[in-house]
Amino acid sequence: MIEEKFDAIVIGAGMAGNAAAHTMASRGLKVLQLERGEYAGSKNVQGAILYADMVEKIIPNFREEAPLERHLVEQRFWMMGDRSHTGLQYRNDDFNEDKPNRYTIIRSQFDRWFSKEVQAQGALVICETTVTELVSDAYGKVIGVRTDRRGGTIFADVVILCEGVNGLLGARAGLRDTPKAEHVALAVKEMHFLPRETIESRFNLHGDEGVVIEAAGVISKGMTGMGFVYTNKESVSVGMGCLVSDFATNNDTPNGLLEAFKNHPSIKPLLEGSEVKEYAAHLIPEGGYKTIPQLFGDGWVVCGDAAQLNNAIHREGSNLALTSGRLAGEAIFQIKSRREPMTKQNLALYKQYLDDSFVMKDLKKYKDMPALLHANSQNYFLAYPQLVSKAMENFLRVDGTPKLDKEKATVASFVKERRWTGLFGDAWRLARAWR
Amino acid sequence: MSLAMRVEEKLYQNRYIVDAGKPHIAIRPHDKPSENLLAMTRICPAGCYAETSSGQVEITPDGCLECGTCRVLCEASGDITWNYPRGGFGVLFKFG
């Protein structure tokens, strides 16, 4: 198919792949990027929130060109009861700044634009091409790839694996394991279309302002999971995800949970009358720091979701992908400028860059959270939300019961559910994992 | 949820280019399905897995969303083989 040899082959045109390809091509490296979808973005699924800082480091003026939906001025965290929610709401007019911090996006549109920027830097991008195999030399160094198109191997000094959470190539080549069921969440999502004005009045927004709702509690039926509602210009993204290992032992279906979430009395009025135009599913890496695989070797590096680089606590994934892709590109450029080979020893520079960045620092901070939430999902995702809901109802319903009796009843319900030792233990474990 | 929308109706909204005659997921022939394989009849978000009247699990991957859940649960045991569809085929997200 292609005779020439490349400096680098990037596999995948998601956030990590585009960041890596853009970084290297803009520095003059000869880059080939392969994408299995019909166009860049056609296989990619995200909630989706974009963090401006990480894009700015790659394309400083992206706000002028990129297809962005709404900049976020408000965040709601909702703890869901069966027919209630207890919310924490933060809105700040300072988020209406010249260069907003966070946006909602529609991934297939954003990625398509990003890919054009990558091509403008001189990278060769070939879509509708699935890479079937990594090719190694006799010493085990990765030297190229084979695809499902006619023709032989395509060679490069280094292969950058940005193949996503479900990437087959790295696992097949024995470079990392396939994710385990307790380390990935399955999320399902729908795109609900509504007139602009309807979205703005329902969510209390003006112009391009946007709001995000993250919801946890009884909606995941005791499984480790969350729901979300994100506002776009003329659509609302609604989704729900839980750990695959929890789904495997629970009787609920992903679609059933999503339908129940949509029909929750706190959510339903927000979606009323919408037209659904797409239903998507995607795995989210949730294992955190302890599940990060070997990130580099002779002739290869791995970035983004494929490397489990996702901060589940802060729901940050695409920015870790963008950053890891960019840092891989910068490391490779450095090695190349020194005219040195793409050996494991040299590519350790990528890991060093990552360790020095927020990516590894943040993931390390929360290294114990995934296991904690998983082991205690019944408490954190079912018992406590129900108790909080009951406590709020006790507090707010005026029915002639003396307040002291109400408080006693609330405290008693917490103690009955978890006992004092359980309550202190849960709080202590949560605080320690958070540190 | 009496008004719950069925998965089949939802998939109808999506865009696919099906690689006819070349399914990208295959189930190993079996008499009795493993627990995880049986779980896929419930978990698969696209409803690709179904139990036959004689108790085996079969797959119709046409509506597959390529999420990889079945791969995570059933590949290691050899219950299924999983490949990506050929380049350009499979689900094509309009919004993603």
Side-chain angles (χ1 to χ4, degrees), chain A residues 36 38-39 42-44 106-108 130 148 166 168 172 178 189-190 247 250 252 254-255 259 263 276-279 283, chain B residues 1 5 7 10 13-15 42-43 45 66-69 71-72 82-89 91-96:
Chain A
R36 65 190 185 87
E38 186 182 37
Y39 54 86
S42 59
K43 296 289 186 183
N44 304 346
I106 291 173
R107 274 299 295 271
S108 67
T130 302
D148 61 355
N166 190 30
L168 297 175
R172 290 224 172 122
T178 302
K189 177 189 138 177
E190 289 177 5
F247 270 129
N250 186 291
D252 293 283
N255 186 53
E259 287 300 311
N263 284 289
V276 181
K277 292 197 181 174
E278 190 166 83
Y279 170 67
L283 291 181
Chain B
M1 280 310 98
M5 226 178 129
V7 167
K10 295 188 180 195
Q13 304 293 329
N14 292 352
R15 186 169 162 244
R42 189 167 43 73
I43 304 170
E66 297 167 31
C67 66
T69 304
R71 184 178 159 235
V72 165
W82 210 106
N83 283 291
Y84 275 120
R86 279 196 298 159
F89 289 91
V91 67
L92 294 159
F93 292 112
K94 294 166 285 183
F95 309 106

Short mmCIF file of all heavy atoms in Angstrom, two decimals, chain A residues 36 38-39 42-44 106-108 130 148 166 168 172 178 189-190 247 250 252 254-255 259 263 276-279 283, chain B residues 1 5 7 10 13-15 42-43 45 66-69 71-72 82-89 91-96:
data_model
loop_
_atom_site.label_atom_id
_atom_site.label_comp_id
_atom_site.label_asym_id
_atom_site.label_seq_id
_atom_site.Cartn_x
_atom_site.Cartn_y
_atom_site.Cartn_z
N ARG A 36 -9.85 3.45 11.71
CA ARG A 36 -10.71 2.42 11.12
C ARG A 36 -12.08 2.94 10.72
O ARG A 36 -12.77 2.34 9.90
CB ARG A 36 -10.82 1.22 12.06
CG ARG A 36 -11.51 1.51 13.36
CD ARG A 36 -11.36 0.35 14.34
NE ARG A 36 -12.14 0.63 15.53
CZ ARG A 36 -13.42 0.33 15.68
NH1 ARG A 36 -14.08 -0.29 14.72
NH2 ARG A 36 -14.06 0.65 16.78
N GLU A 38 -15.05 5.56 9.11
CA GLU A 38 -15.23 6.17 7.79
C GLU A 38 -14.57 7.55 7.76
O GLU A 38 -14.05 7.98 6.74
CB GLU A 38 -16.74 6.31 7.52
CG GLU A 38 -17.08 6.80 6.14
CD GLU A 38 -18.59 6.95 5.97
OE1 GLU A 38 -19.28 7.37 6.92
OE2 GLU A 38 -19.08 6.67 4.88
N TYR A 39 -14.63 8.24 8.88
CA TYR A 39 -13.93 9.52 9.04
C TYR A 39 -13.49 9.62 10.50
O TYR A 39 -14.01 8.88 11.36
CB TYR A 39 -14.83 10.70 8.66
CG TYR A 39 -16.15 10.73 9.38
CD1 TYR A 39 -16.27 11.32 10.63
CD2 TYR A 39 -17.28 10.12 8.82
CE1 TYR A 39 -17.48 11.33 11.30
CE2 TYR A 39 -18.50 10.12 9.49
CZ TYR A 39 -18.59 10.72 10.72
OH TYR A 39 -19.79 10.72 11.39
N SER A 42 -15.83 8.93 13.73
CA SER A 42 -17.02 8.10 13.49
C SER A 42 -17.11 6.89 14.42
O SER A 42 -18.15 6.25 14.52
CB SER A 42 -17.10 7.65 12.03
OG SER A 42 -15.95 6.90 11.70
N LYS A 43 -16.02 6.57 15.12
CA LYS A 43 -16.06 5.45 16.07
C LYS A 43 -15.94 5.92 17.51
O LYS A 43 -15.81 5.12 18.42
CB LYS A 43 -14.92 4.47 15.76
CG LYS A 43 -15.00 3.78 14.41
CD LYS A 43 -16.11 2.76 14.36
CE LYS A 43 -16.08 1.99 13.04
NZ LYS A 43 -17.20 1.04 12.94
N ASN A 44 -15.91 7.23 17.70
CA ASN A 44 -15.58 7.75 19.03
C ASN A 44 -16.83 8.19 19.79
O ASN A 44 -17.71 8.82 19.23
CB ASN A 44 -14.61 8.93 18.89
CG ASN A 44 -13.36 8.53 18.12
OD1 ASN A 44 -13.11 7.33 17.93
ND2 ASN A 44 -12.59 9.49 17.67
N ILE A 106 -19.62 17.75 20.65
CA ILE A 106 -20.13 16.54 20.02
C ILE A 106 -18.93 15.89 19.35
O ILE A 106 -18.33 16.48 18.44
CB ILE A 106 -21.27 16.87 19.04
CG1 ILE A 106 -22.48 17.34 19.85
CG2 ILE A 106 -21.61 15.67 18.15
CD1 ILE A 106 -23.63 17.86 19.04
N ARG A 107 -18.53 14.74 19.86
CA ARG A 107 -17.24 14.17 19.51
C ARG A 107 -17.02 13.96 18.00
O ARG A 107 -15.95 14.27 17.49
CB ARG A 107 -17.02 12.84 20.24
CG ARG A 107 -16.42 13.00 21.61
CD ARG A 107 -15.05 13.65 21.63
NE ARG A 107 -14.02 12.86 20.96
CZ ARG A 107 -13.28 11.95 21.56
NH1 ARG A 107 -13.43 11.68 22.84
NH2 ARG A 107 -12.35 11.28 20.88
N SER A 108 -18.00 13.42 17.31
CA SER A 108 -17.74 13.12 15.90
C SER A 108 -17.48 14.41 15.13
O SER A 108 -16.68 14.44 14.20
CB SER A 108 -18.88 12.32 15.29
OG SER A 108 -20.03 13.11 15.22
N THR A 130 -8.39 -0.63 9.13
CA THR A 130 -8.19 -1.24 10.44
C THR A 130 -6.80 -1.87 10.49
O THR A 130 -6.45 -2.67 9.62
CB THR A 130 -9.27 -2.31 10.70
OG1 THR A 130 -10.56 -1.69 10.62
CG2 THR A 130 -9.11 -2.94 12.07
N ASP A 148 -5.83 -4.07 7.14
CA ASP A 148 -6.74 -4.93 6.39
C ASP A 148 -6.85 -4.48 4.92
O ASP A 148 -7.70 -4.97 4.19
CB ASP A 148 -8.12 -4.99 7.05
CG ASP A 148 -8.80 -3.64 7.13
OD1 ASP A 148 -8.17 -2.63 6.76
OD2 ASP A 148 -9.97 -3.59 7.57
N ASN A 166 -10.79 -0.22 24.23
CA ASN A 166 -10.99 -1.57 23.71
C ASN A 166 -9.94 -1.92 22.66
O ASN A 166 -10.20 -2.70 21.75
CB ASN A 166 -12.41 -1.69 23.14
CG ASN A 166 -12.79 -3.11 22.81
OD1 ASN A 166 -12.31 -4.06 23.44
ND2 ASN A 166 -13.61 -3.28 21.79
N LEU A 168 -7.25 -3.60 20.56
CA LEU A 168 -6.88 -5.01 20.42
C LEU A 168 -5.38 -5.20 20.21
O LEU A 168 -4.81 -6.18 20.62
CB LEU A 168 -7.59 -5.62 19.21
CG LEU A 168 -9.11 -5.69 19.21
CD1 LEU A 168 -9.61 -6.21 17.87
CD2 LEU A 168 -9.59 -6.59 20.32
N ARG A 172 -3.01 -7.96 21.88
CA ARG A 172 -2.61 -9.13 21.06
C ARG A 172 -1.10 -9.28 20.97
O ARG A 172 -0.60 -10.39 20.85
CB ARG A 172 -3.18 -8.96 19.65
CG ARG A 172 -4.67 -9.12 19.68
CD ARG A 172 -5.17 -9.97 18.56
NE ARG A 172 -6.59 -10.19 18.82
CZ ARG A 172 -7.53 -9.85 17.98
NH1 ARG A 172 -7.22 -9.31 16.82
NH2 ARG A 172 -8.78 -10.07 18.29
N THR A 178 -5.86 -7.14 28.35
CA THR A 178 -7.20 -6.62 28.10
C THR A 178 -7.75 -6.15 29.45
O THR A 178 -7.53 -6.83 30.45
CB THR A 178 -8.10 -7.74 27.54
OG1 THR A 178 -7.49 -8.23 26.33
CG2 THR A 178 -9.50 -7.24 27.22
N LYS A 189 -25.56 5.95 26.13
CA LYS A 189 -25.84 7.38 25.99
C LYS A 189 -26.80 7.64 24.84
O LYS A 189 -26.75 6.94 23.83
CB LYS A 189 -24.52 8.10 25.74
CG LYS A 189 -24.63 9.58 25.51
CD LYS A 189 -23.31 10.16 25.05
CE LYS A 189 -23.55 11.16 23.96
NZ LYS A 189 -22.33 11.83 23.50
N GLU A 190 -27.64 8.62 25.02
CA GLU A 190 -28.55 9.02 23.93
C GLU A 190 -28.40 10.50 23.65
O GLU A 190 -28.11 11.29 24.54
CB GLU A 190 -30.01 8.76 24.32
CG GLU A 190 -30.37 7.31 24.37
CD GLU A 190 -31.81 7.08 24.83
OE1 GLU A 190 -32.54 8.08 25.03
OE2 GLU A 190 -32.16 5.92 25.01
N PHE A 247 -22.42 -5.14 36.49
CA PHE A 247 -23.49 -5.56 35.56
C PHE A 247 -23.55 -7.09 35.47
O PHE A 247 -24.62 -7.68 35.37
CB PHE A 247 -23.23 -5.01 34.15
CG PHE A 247 -23.85 -3.66 33.89
CD1 PHE A 247 -23.10 -2.61 33.37
CD2 PHE A 247 -25.20 -3.43 34.14
CE1 PHE A 247 -23.67 -1.37 33.12
CE2 PHE A 247 -25.79 -2.19 33.88
CZ PHE A 247 -25.01 -1.16 33.38
N ASN A 250 -25.47 -8.39 38.44
CA ASN A 250 -26.71 -7.70 38.78
C ASN A 250 -27.74 -8.07 37.72
O ASN A 250 -27.39 -8.49 36.62
CB ASN A 250 -26.43 -6.19 38.77
CG ASN A 250 -27.60 -5.38 39.25
OD1 ASN A 250 -28.61 -5.32 38.58
ND2 ASN A 250 -27.46 -4.76 40.40
N ASP A 252 -29.90 -5.99 36.30
CA ASP A 252 -30.34 -4.87 35.48
C ASP A 252 -29.62 -4.83 34.14
O ASP A 252 -28.51 -5.32 34.00
CB ASP A 252 -30.09 -3.57 36.23
CG ASP A 252 -30.99 -3.46 37.44
OD1 ASP A 252 -32.17 -3.15 37.25
OD2 ASP A 252 -30.52 -3.74 38.56
N PRO A 254 -28.14 -2.34 30.94
CA PRO A 254 -27.70 -0.95 30.75
C PRO A 254 -28.83 -0.07 30.21
O PRO A 254 -29.05 1.04 30.70
CB PRO A 254 -26.56 -1.07 29.73
CG PRO A 254 -26.10 -2.48 29.83
CD PRO A 254 -27.28 -3.30 30.23
N ASN A 255 -29.54 -0.59 29.23
CA ASN A 255 -30.63 0.20 28.65
C ASN A 255 -31.77 0.41 29.65
O ASN A 255 -32.37 1.49 29.70
CB ASN A 255 -31.15 -0.48 27.38
CG ASN A 255 -32.18 0.38 26.69
OD1 ASN A 255 -31.93 1.55 26.41
ND2 ASN A 255 -33.36 -0.19 26.44
N GLU A 259 -33.19 4.01 30.80
CA GLU A 259 -34.62 4.36 30.68
C GLU A 259 -35.17 4.81 32.03
O GLU A 259 -35.92 5.78 32.11
CB GLU A 259 -35.41 3.15 30.16
CG GLU A 259 -35.19 2.86 28.69
CD GLU A 259 -35.57 4.03 27.79
OE1 GLU A 259 -36.68 4.58 27.95
OE2 GLU A 259 -34.75 4.40 26.93
N ASN A 263 -36.58 8.52 33.08
CA ASN A 263 -37.94 8.65 33.59
C ASN A 263 -38.01 9.03 35.07
O ASN A 263 -39.09 9.09 35.65
CB ASN A 263 -38.72 7.35 33.35
CG ASN A 263 -39.14 7.23 31.90
OD1 ASN A 263 -40.01 7.96 31.43
ND2 ASN A 263 -38.49 6.35 31.15
N VAL A 276 -34.94 11.60 19.93
CA VAL A 276 -33.67 10.87 20.09
C VAL A 276 -33.11 10.54 18.72
O VAL A 276 -33.81 9.97 17.88
CB VAL A 276 -33.88 9.57 20.90
CG1 VAL A 276 -32.56 8.84 21.08
CG2 VAL A 276 -34.48 9.89 22.27
N LYS A 277 -31.86 10.90 18.50
CA LYS A 277 -31.28 10.66 17.18
C LYS A 277 -30.09 9.70 17.18
O LYS A 277 -29.58 9.38 16.11
CB LYS A 277 -30.85 11.99 16.54
CG LYS A 277 -32.04 12.88 16.19
CD LYS A 277 -31.65 13.95 15.21
CE LYS A 277 -32.85 14.84 14.90
NZ LYS A 277 -32.47 15.99 14.07
N GLU A 278 -29.63 9.30 18.36
CA GLU A 278 -28.56 8.32 18.37
C GLU A 278 -28.49 7.64 19.73
O GLU A 278 -28.79 8.23 20.76
CB GLU A 278 -27.20 8.96 18.06
CG GLU A 278 -26.08 7.95 17.82
CD GLU A 278 -24.87 8.61 17.19
OE1 GLU A 278 -24.05 9.21 17.93
OE2 GLU A 278 -24.75 8.55 15.95
N TYR A 279 -28.10 6.37 19.69
CA TYR A 279 -27.90 5.56 20.90
C TYR A 279 -26.51 4.96 20.80
O TYR A 279 -26.19 4.31 19.80
CB TYR A 279 -28.98 4.47 20.95
CG TYR A 279 -28.79 3.41 22.01
CD1 TYR A 279 -28.88 3.72 23.36
CD2 TYR A 279 -28.55 2.09 21.65
CE1 TYR A 279 -28.73 2.74 24.32
CE2 TYR A 279 -28.41 1.09 22.61
CZ TYR A 279 -28.49 1.43 23.95
OH TYR A 279 -28.34 0.46 24.91
N LEU A 283 -17.02 1.78 26.61
CA LEU A 283 -16.38 1.44 27.88
C LEU A 283 -15.56 2.63 28.37
O LEU A 283 -15.00 3.37 27.57
CB LEU A 283 -15.45 0.22 27.72
CG LEU A 283 -16.11 -1.13 27.44
CD1 LEU A 283 -15.04 -2.21 27.34
CD2 LEU A 283 -17.13 -1.49 28.51
N MET B 1 -41.02 0.61 34.33
CA MET B 1 -40.92 1.51 33.17
C MET B 1 -41.80 1.01 32.04
O MET B 1 -41.35 0.27 31.17
CB MET B 1 -39.46 1.59 32.67
CG MET B 1 -38.56 2.51 33.45
SD MET B 1 -39.19 4.15 33.73
CE MET B 1 -39.84 3.97 35.38
N MET B 5 -38.17 2.47 26.20
CA MET B 5 -37.91 2.23 24.78
C MET B 5 -37.07 0.98 24.63
O MET B 5 -36.13 0.76 25.39
CB MET B 5 -37.15 3.43 24.22
CG MET B 5 -37.67 3.93 22.92
SD MET B 5 -36.70 5.38 22.44
CE MET B 5 -36.26 4.90 20.79
N VAL B 7 -34.35 -1.59 22.95
CA VAL B 7 -33.04 -1.40 22.32
C VAL B 7 -33.16 -1.42 20.80
O VAL B 7 -32.56 -0.61 20.10
CB VAL B 7 -32.06 -2.48 22.82
CG1 VAL B 7 -30.80 -2.51 21.97
CG2 VAL B 7 -31.69 -2.23 24.27
N LYS B 10 -34.06 1.79 19.36
CA LYS B 10 -32.98 2.78 19.48
C LYS B 10 -31.94 2.57 18.39
O LYS B 10 -31.42 3.53 17.83
CB LYS B 10 -32.30 2.65 20.84
CG LYS B 10 -33.20 2.99 22.00
CD LYS B 10 -32.42 3.03 23.28
CE LYS B 10 -33.36 3.37 24.42
NZ LYS B 10 -32.65 3.77 25.62
N GLN B 13 -32.10 4.25 15.05
CA GLN B 13 -31.66 5.65 14.86
C GLN B 13 -30.21 5.72 14.39
O GLN B 13 -29.79 6.76 13.88
CB GLN B 13 -31.74 6.41 16.20
CG GLN B 13 -33.09 6.40 16.87
CD GLN B 13 -34.10 7.18 16.06
OE1 GLN B 13 -33.75 8.14 15.39
NE2 GLN B 13 -35.34 6.75 16.11
N ASN B 14 -29.47 4.65 14.60
CA ASN B 14 -28.02 4.69 14.32
C ASN B 14 -27.72 4.41 12.86
O ASN B 14 -28.54 3.85 12.14
CB ASN B 14 -27.29 3.66 15.18
CG ASN B 14 -27.32 4.01 16.66
OD1 ASN B 14 -27.76 5.09 17.03
ND2 ASN B 14 -26.86 3.11 17.47
N ARG B 15 -26.50 4.78 12.47
CA ARG B 15 -26.06 4.52 11.11
C ARG B 15 -25.04 3.38 11.13
O ARG B 15 -24.10 3.39 11.93
CB ARG B 15 -25.41 5.79 10.56
CG ARG B 15 -25.04 5.67 9.13
CD ARG B 15 -24.65 7.00 8.49
NE ARG B 15 -23.92 6.69 7.30
CZ ARG B 15 -22.64 6.98 7.08
NH1 ARG B 15 -21.98 7.67 7.96
NH2 ARG B 15 -22.05 6.61 5.97
N ARG B 42 -28.10 -10.23 28.63
CA ARG B 42 -28.69 -9.14 29.37
C ARG B 42 -27.87 -7.85 29.26
O ARG B 42 -28.41 -6.77 29.12
CB ARG B 42 -28.78 -9.58 30.84
CG ARG B 42 -29.55 -8.71 31.77
CD ARG B 42 -29.79 -9.45 33.09
NE ARG B 42 -28.60 -10.16 33.55
CZ ARG B 42 -27.53 -9.54 34.05
NH1 ARG B 42 -27.51 -8.24 34.15
NH2 ARG B 42 -26.49 -10.26 34.46
N ILE B 43 -26.54 -8.00 29.30
CA ILE B 43 -25.68 -6.81 29.39
C ILE B 43 -25.44 -6.13 28.06
O ILE B 43 -25.31 -4.91 28.01
CB ILE B 43 -24.31 -7.18 30.00
CG1 ILE B 43 -24.48 -7.85 31.36
CG2 ILE B 43 -23.45 -5.94 30.16
CD1 ILE B 43 -23.21 -8.45 31.88
N PRO B 45 -25.36 -3.87 25.33
CA PRO B 45 -26.22 -2.68 25.17
C PRO B 45 -26.94 -2.65 23.82
O PRO B 45 -27.89 -1.88 23.65
CB PRO B 45 -25.25 -1.51 25.32
CG PRO B 45 -23.92 -2.06 25.02
CD PRO B 45 -23.94 -3.52 25.40
N GLU B 66 -19.78 -1.78 19.19
CA GLU B 66 -18.32 -1.92 19.29
C GLU B 66 -17.77 -1.41 20.62
O GLU B 66 -16.69 -0.83 20.66
CB GLU B 66 -17.63 -1.25 18.09
CG GLU B 66 -18.01 -1.91 16.77
CD GLU B 66 -17.61 -1.12 15.53
OE1 GLU B 66 -16.60 -0.40 15.56
OE2 GLU B 66 -18.34 -1.22 14.51
N CYS B 67 -18.53 -1.61 21.70
CA CYS B 67 -18.08 -1.12 23.00
C CYS B 67 -17.02 -2.02 23.60
O CYS B 67 -16.13 -1.55 24.30
CB CYS B 67 -19.26 -0.96 23.96
SG CYS B 67 -20.07 -2.50 24.44
N GLY B 68 -17.10 -3.32 23.33
CA GLY B 68 -16.08 -4.23 23.86
C GLY B 68 -16.44 -4.92 25.16
O GLY B 68 -15.62 -5.64 25.73
N THR B 69 -17.66 -4.71 25.65
CA THR B 69 -18.06 -5.33 26.92
C THR B 69 -17.96 -6.86 26.84
O THR B 69 -17.45 -7.50 27.77
CB THR B 69 -19.49 -4.91 27.29
OG1 THR B 69 -19.54 -3.50 27.34
CG2 THR B 69 -19.90 -5.48 28.63
N ARG B 71 -16.09 -8.57 24.95
CA ARG B 71 -14.69 -8.95 24.86
C ARG B 71 -14.08 -9.01 26.26
O ARG B 71 -13.38 -9.97 26.61
CB ARG B 71 -13.94 -7.94 24.00
CG ARG B 71 -12.51 -8.29 23.78
CD ARG B 71 -11.77 -7.32 22.88
NE ARG B 71 -10.36 -7.47 23.15
CZ ARG B 71 -9.55 -6.48 23.49
NH1 ARG B 71 -10.00 -5.25 23.55
NH2 ARG B 71 -8.28 -6.72 23.74
N VAL B 72 -14.39 -7.99 27.08
CA VAL B 72 -13.87 -7.94 28.45
C VAL B 72 -14.35 -9.14 29.27
O VAL B 72 -13.60 -9.74 30.03
CB VAL B 72 -14.30 -6.61 29.12
CG1 VAL B 72 -14.11 -6.66 30.63
CG2 VAL B 72 -13.51 -5.45 28.53
N TRP B 82 -13.17 -11.99 19.08
CA TRP B 82 -13.57 -10.59 18.85
C TRP B 82 -12.57 -9.92 17.93
O TRP B 82 -11.37 -9.92 18.18
CB TRP B 82 -13.56 -9.86 20.20
CG TRP B 82 -14.54 -8.74 20.35
CD1 TRP B 82 -15.69 -8.77 21.07
CD2 TRP B 82 -14.45 -7.41 19.80
NE1 TRP B 82 -16.33 -7.54 21.00
CE2 TRP B 82 -15.60 -6.69 20.23
CE3 TRP B 82 -13.54 -6.74 18.98
CZ2 TRP B 82 -15.84 -5.36 19.88
CZ3 TRP B 82 -13.77 -5.43 18.63
CH2 TRP B 82 -14.92 -4.74 19.08
N ASN B 83 -13.05 -9.35 16.85
CA ASN B 83 -12.21 -8.54 15.97
C ASN B 83 -12.94 -7.25 15.68
O ASN B 83 -14.16 -7.20 15.78
CB ASN B 83 -11.95 -9.26 14.66
CG ASN B 83 -10.90 -10.34 14.83
OD1 ASN B 83 -9.73 -10.04 15.04
ND2 ASN B 83 -11.33 -11.58 14.77
N TYR B 84 -12.20 -6.23 15.30
CA TYR B 84 -12.89 -5.05 14.82
C TYR B 84 -13.43 -5.33 13.42
O TYR B 84 -12.85 -6.13 12.69
CB TYR B 84 -11.93 -3.85 14.78
CG TYR B 84 -11.84 -3.14 16.09
CD1 TYR B 84 -10.64 -3.02 16.76
CD2 TYR B 84 -12.99 -2.62 16.68
CE1 TYR B 84 -10.57 -2.38 17.98
CE2 TYR B 84 -12.92 -1.98 17.91
CZ TYR B 84 -11.71 -1.87 18.54
OH TYR B 84 -11.65 -1.23 19.76
N PRO B 85 -14.55 -4.69 13.06
CA PRO B 85 -15.01 -4.82 11.69
C PRO B 85 -13.94 -4.30 10.73
O PRO B 85 -13.09 -3.50 11.15
CB PRO B 85 -16.25 -3.92 11.63
CG PRO B 85 -16.66 -3.70 13.05
CD PRO B 85 -15.40 -3.80 13.86
N ARG B 86 -14.00 -4.72 9.49
CA ARG B 86 -13.06 -4.18 8.50
C ARG B 86 -13.17 -2.66 8.46
O ARG B 86 -14.21 -2.09 8.78
CB ARG B 86 -13.40 -4.72 7.11
CG ARG B 86 -12.85 -6.12 6.86
CD ARG B 86 -12.86 -6.43 5.39
NE ARG B 86 -14.23 -6.43 4.84
CZ ARG B 86 -14.49 -6.26 3.54
NH1 ARG B 86 -13.50 -6.06 2.69
NH2 ARG B 86 -15.74 -6.29 3.11
N GLY B 87 -12.10 -2.01 8.03
CA GLY B 87 -12.08 -0.55 7.98
C GLY B 87 -13.29 0.00 7.24
O GLY B 87 -13.64 -0.46 6.17
N GLY B 88 -13.95 0.99 7.86
CA GLY B 88 -15.10 1.63 7.22
C GLY B 88 -16.43 0.98 7.54
O GLY B 88 -17.48 1.60 7.37
N PHE B 89 -16.41 -0.28 8.00
CA PHE B 89 -17.66 -0.97 8.29
C PHE B 89 -18.05 -0.85 9.77
O PHE B 89 -17.28 -0.35 10.58
CB PHE B 89 -17.53 -2.45 7.91
CG PHE B 89 -17.49 -2.68 6.42
CD1 PHE B 89 -16.27 -2.71 5.75
CD2 PHE B 89 -18.66 -2.83 5.68
CE1 PHE B 89 -16.22 -2.90 4.38
CE2 PHE B 89 -18.61 -3.02 4.32
CZ PHE B 89 -17.39 -3.06 3.65
N VAL B 91 -20.60 0.30 13.03
CA VAL B 91 -21.37 1.48 13.45
C VAL B 91 -20.60 2.75 13.07
O VAL B 91 -19.37 2.79 13.11
CB VAL B 91 -21.66 1.43 14.97
CG1 VAL B 91 -20.40 1.58 15.80
CG2 VAL B 91 -22.69 2.49 15.36
N LEU B 92 -21.33 3.76 12.64
CA LEU B 92 -20.72 5.05 12.29
C LEU B 92 -21.48 6.13 13.05
O LEU B 92 -22.59 6.51 12.67
CB LEU B 92 -20.78 5.27 10.78
CG LEU B 92 -19.91 4.28 10.00
CD1 LEU B 92 -20.36 4.16 8.56
CD2 LEU B 92 -18.45 4.68 10.07
N PHE B 93 -20.88 6.61 14.11
CA PHE B 93 -21.58 7.58 14.96
C PHE B 93 -21.67 8.95 14.28
O PHE B 93 -20.68 9.46 13.77
CB PHE B 93 -20.88 7.70 16.32
CG PHE B 93 -20.99 6.46 17.15
CD1 PHE B 93 -19.89 5.67 17.41
CD2 PHE B 93 -22.23 6.06 17.65
CE1 PHE B 93 -20.01 4.52 18.17
CE2 PHE B 93 -22.35 4.91 18.41
CZ PHE B 93 -21.24 4.14 18.67
N LYS B 94 -22.88 9.48 14.30
CA LYS B 94 -23.10 10.82 13.75
C LYS B 94 -22.72 11.88 14.78
O LYS B 94 -22.33 12.98 14.46
CB LYS B 94 -24.59 11.01 13.41
CG LYS B 94 -25.10 10.12 12.29
CD LYS B 94 -26.63 10.12 12.23
CE LYS B 94 -27.20 9.27 13.37
NZ LYS B 94 -28.68 9.14 13.35
N PHE B 95 -22.89 11.52 16.05
CA PHE B 95 -22.61 12.47 17.14
C PHE B 95 -21.53 11.94 18.08
O PHE B 95 -20.64 12.65 18.47
CB PHE B 95 -23.90 12.77 17.92
CG PHE B 95 -25.03 13.17 17.03
CD1 PHE B 95 -26.08 12.30 16.76
CD2 PHE B 95 -25.02 14.40 16.42
CE1 PHE B 95 -27.11 12.67 15.92
CE2 PHE B 95 -26.05 14.78 15.57
CZ PHE B 95 -27.11 13.91 15.31
N GLY B 96 -21.66 10.67 18.45
CA GLY B 96 -20.63 10.00 19.26
C GLY B 96 -20.60 10.40 20.72
O GLY B 96 -21.19 11.33 21.15
#
